Amino acid sequence: MQRTILLVEDNAGDVRLTREALREADVAVDLVAVSDGEQALSYLRAHGEHAGAARPDLILLDLNLPKKNGLEVLEEIRRDTELRRVPVIMLTTSSSARDISACYDRGVNCYVVKPLDLDDFTALVQAINRFWFEVARLPPR
């Protein structure tokens, strides 16, 4: 079954790196990328230009986003009965204990600090894919 990942990331370079890491891993994943928190919620609710969008199996969410930040998006996802079961991984550059605690307090499934090294980033994306799509059992869409 084709899996869908929603990547909420405002850095175009990180979007490219994520796509390349998944391509290198040769996995059947449809990666949908949006660049701000409002677009993420529009996609998740299949509104506007995202009407008919497939519900993702996994969300990779950056903490520092324009319009609505990652914490605001996470809060809205967890309050929405249609979305709250979708696993959310906060994938960010912040290693602040305050940010980590704030994300877990709001129901994030996992908090991961983006590595700076390209090979480490590739290995991280591949590990996320393996764990969430080969090891973990996800709820039905």
Side-chain angles (χ1 to χ4, degrees):
M1 169 170 57
Q2 180 80 10
R3 297 294 194 162
T4 301
I5 296 175
L6 175 62
L7 174 61
V8 188
E9 173 60 66
D10 61 326
N11 182 317
D14 285 351
V15 173
R16 280 192 305 276
L17 286 175
T18 304
R19 285 190 194 286
E20 183 59 32
L22 290 168
R23 193 171 17 261
E24 281 185 26
D26 195 29
V27 293
V29 172
D30 182 24
L31 182 70
V32 176
V34 296
S35 60
D36 66 58
E38 287 181 2
Q39 285 182 42
L41 291 167
S42 178
Y43 179 88
L44 289 166
R45 294 178 176 140
H47 290 163
E49 68 182 89
H50 303 291
R55 168 116 348 108
D57 298 287
L58 181 67
I59 301 167
L60 300 178
L61 180 61
D62 190 13
L63 186 58
N64 301 305
L65 295 166
K67 299 186 181 175
K68 282 189 185 269
N69 68 37
L71 283 177
E72 293 169 316
V73 173
L74 179 61
E75 286 173 343
E76 288 199 39
I77 289 169
R78 292 303 182 234
R79 279 195 306 261
D80 189 314
T81 58
E82 298 294 317
L83 300 173
R84 69 172 50 141
R85 289 185 181 164
V86 179
V88 177
I89 298 174
M90 195 63 71
L91 183 60
T92 185
T93 56
S94 172
S95 58
S96 157
R98 195 167 101 204
D99 287 340
I100 294 167
S101 294
C103 288
Y104 280 108
D105 287 345
R106 287 162 178 82
V108 78
N109 294 89
C110 184
Y111 189 102
V112 179
V113 177
K114 292 178 193 172
L116 298 175
D117 179 78
L118 175 61
D119 290 336
D120 291 342
F121 185 83
T122 299
L124 171 66
V125 170
Q126 292 171 355
I128 288 170
N129 177 71
R130 262 191 320 279
F131 177 78
W132 286 100
F133 296 140
E134 295 175 19
V135 177
R137 300 295 299 250
L138 298 176
R141 287 186 189 175

